[in-house]
Amino acid sequence: MPAPTSNAPHADQLPVAIIGAGPVGLAAAAHLVERGIEPLVLEAGPAAASAVREWSHVRLFSTWGELVDPAAEKLLAHTGWVRPDAATYPTGGDWAERYLQPLADVLGDRVRYDATVTGVARAGRDRIVDAGRDEQPYTVHVRAADGTEERLTARAVIDASGTWSTPSPAGANGLPALGEKTAADRISYRVPDLNDPSVRARYAGKRTAVIGSGASAFTALALLADLAGEEAGTHAVWILRRGISASTYGGGEADELPARGALGLRAKAAVEAGHASAATGFRTQAVERADDRLVLVAEDSRRLDPVDEVIVLTGLRPDLSFLSEVRLGLDERLQAPTALAPLIDPNVHSCGTVYPHGVRELSHPDQGVYLVGMKSYGRAPTFLAMTGYEQVRSIAASLAGDQEAAERVELTLPETGVCGGAGLFDEPENAEQSGGGCCAPAPTTLQIGGGAPAATTGGC
């Protein structure tokens, strides 16, 4: 007897599911369309780039020329879209409204909104089952805004959902500090939008602790310094887990992204102007209530003077909960793909470029599932949009069977101007390895004003 026929579509006829309609997810869709592969973009929010819109007030340190994906620009060109001045710097809101939403509109019904992915698995196989696993397509569970659920089938899954929804806590050990959750009404995990009257009122004339040492913390410090110049009594307390060194403020003029370097210099100016005090070597262990204010307590039992508000900007981390039934190969430290992790590990380096990478570094034991964009970096910082665009170009080529294009490098990344691993800076005895910065003293609280001597390089 002949074998029974099946109405199930062949794997090549199934779409590629893309989780997230942000910059990298939409770029992935554009590259797939260019390759003749049908994408299905699943966006949890009500519009494209919902996460980007939540920091619409923040200006990027990449120019428009570095923020528009080539394949996406080709799709948009048919609509008469004109790229903004390539040398200018958009805000998150500009990026969403002038590029990302138009791109999603061009993709049309290939993008579905209010579609939250709650699970991904091999069809009919949990992560334990080996038999026939590689031949099975992926099943994607989706919940709509009204709570209804459905199951979609895909030939591959590209997870570009980012890390915005899972900010890291204040606790130095990666867990929330004691009391952090109960003080949630006075703690924010976002750069404040001081153009919003209600947000401005929250920080004006107040003493605010800013925990973190990256670009987001620099931005918050600079904004609070501007506010301090307009509203008496406004002051920031910058909480650093390491000491002050030449590298504390980033690459400065050595950074090949000038706006990124300038951001660190603005934070430095804010501190040196006396608008902020810096608590160095301070590893937060607890947040305690003191009447109507908060007191931060360090692992060494130091207690800072009370603050009115706390802004925690200690990084972001990937949400892997809905990927529990697929087999991922992740680095045990960064939660990034195993082959990518050594290239981006802040315990080892942050000097120079991250090597461009693609499908080879982003593959997992379950073939056809990829983490891209911010999520591919796990807990590592310094991700650039152009890195994500190169990732999805390579993946789209691989899915189309063009391995030569998939393995070809088509990107050169800019230097950061910062040498030394971020992990090294946590230990005072390693400060001399930080690229020439001043050796970190024992944990202390510093008040750095305009009259303080300039930091020197190459010694303590």
Side-chain angles (χ1 to χ4, degrees):
M1 293 179 61
T5 59
S6 172
N7 293 324
H10 189 272
D12 290 346
Q13 298 174 305
L14 295 171
V16 173
I18 300 171
I19 306 173
V24 179
L26 292 173
H31 281 277
L32 290 170
V33 169
E34 187 174 58
R35 290 281 183 172
I37 299 172
E38 193 66 14
L40 176 59
V41 184
L42 302 168
E43 166 59 44
S50 294
V52 173
R53 294 173 191 273
E54 291 192 29
W55 49 270
S56 61
H57 58 293
V58 177
R59 192 167 299 280
L60 288 91
F61 49 65
S62 294
T63 64
W64 272 114
E66 297 155 335
L67 294 170
V68 175
D69 174 78
E73 186 168 11
K74 290 178 186 177
L75 275 183
L76 285 164
H78 297 297
T79 70
W81 181 83
V82 178
R83 182 171 67 176
D85 183 348
T88 59
Y89 298 88
T91 63
D94 295 333
W95 201 19
E97 289 298 331
R98 300 178 64 185
Y99 166 61
L100 297 171
Q101 189 63 57
L103 176 55
D105 293 343
V106 169
L107 291 166
D109 59 8
R110 295 183 176 105
V111 181
R112 290 178 51 180
Y113 301 112
D114 295 315
T116 300
V117 173
T118 59
V120 178
R122 287 284 195 180
R125 307 288 190 275
D126 62 22
R127 69 183 297 155
I128 298 174
V129 178
D130 289 331
R133 185 176 191 85
D134 293 343
E135 288 72 44
Q136 296 301 309
Y138 286 95
T139 180
V140 181
H141 289 210
V142 181
R143 184 181 65 244
D146 62 4
T148 58
E149 297 180 294
E150 65 177 311
R151 179 184 298 152
L152 306 175
T153 306
R155 61 180 286 191
V157 176
I158 298 175
D159 182 356
S161 60
T163 55
W164 179 254
S165 64
T166 47
S168 296
N173 61 2
L175 300 174
L178 300 178
E180 181 174 348
K181 292 184 177 180
T182 58
D185 60 319
R186 293 298 182 88
I187 300 178
S188 170
Y189 298 85
R190 308 302 187 199
V191 174
D193 180 2
L194 298 182
N195 292 319
D196 182 323
S198 64
V199 176
R200 184 184 180 89
R202 179 172 179 175
Y203 298 103
K206 304 291 179 63
R207 179 177 167 87
T208 300
V210 177
I211 305 176
S213 59
S216 295
F218 293 164
T219 303
L221 288 168
L223 291 174
L224 290 172
D226 291 344
L227 184 61
E230 302 168 5
E231 299 282 352
T234 304
H235 189 78
V237 183
W238 189 15
I239 311 299
L240 289 157
R241 294 173 183 171
R242 58 195 189 224
I244 297 284
S245 76
S247 300
T248 297
Y249 300 100
E253 295 178 358
D255 197 317
E256 289 187 6
L257 291 179
R260 181 171 61 187
L263 186 59
L265 295 178
R266 278 192 70 196
K268 182 178 181 180
V271 174
E272 292 180 344
H275 295 311
S277 52
T280 63
F282 193 98
R283 305 179 71 85
T284 307
Q285 178 172 269
V287 180
E288 297 180 357
R289 291 275 187 179
D291 297 324
D292 197 35
R293 307 182 84 191
L294 301 177
V295 173
L296 299 182
V297 183
E299 290 178 345
D300 61 7
S301 300
R302 273 188 301 154
R303 303 168 67 87
L304 297 184
D305 291 338
V307 297
D308 300 289
E309 299 285 343
V310 177
I311 300 174
V312 180
L313 299 168
T314 53
L316 302 162
R317 54 184 62 177
D319 176 9
L320 302 169
S321 60
F322 59 86
L323 300 174
S324 62
E325 296 310 311
V326 293
R327 296 176 179 178
L328 301 178
L330 298 176
D331 179 76
E332 66 273 11
R333 294 162 297 175
L334 301 185
Q335 295 178 299
T338 305
L340 175 59
L343 307 181
I344 61 175
D345 188 352
N347 287 293
V348 178
H349 66 86
S350 61
C351 185
T353 62
V354 173
Y355 294 105
H357 54 275
V359 68
R360 183 189 299 273
E361 293 81 6
L362 297 169
S363 294
H364 294 277
D366 265 341
Q367 295 297 305
V369 61
Y370 306 98
L371 310 185
V372 300
M374 286 281 292
K375 194 163 187 176
S376 72
Y377 269 41
R379 300 193 185 196
T382 66
F383 178 81
L384 296 174
M386 62 182 106
T387 299
Y389 298 160
E390 173 67 2
Q391 290 176 342
V392 296
R393 180 205 64 79
S394 173
I395 289 168
S398 179
L399 290 172
D402 188 350
Q403 290 306 123
E404 187 277 330
E407 296 181 13
R408 185 171 62 238
V409 173
E410 296 187 5
L411 174 67
T412 300
L413 290 169
E415 299 267 354
T416 65
V418 181
C419 293
L424 296 177
F425 295 141
D426 287 340
E427 297 298 335
E429 61 266 30
N430 287 326
E432 289 183 289
Q433 302 176 39
S434 68
C438 184
C439 301
T444 186
T445 301
L446 307 176
Q447 174 69 43
I448 303 177
T456 59
T457 58
C460 294

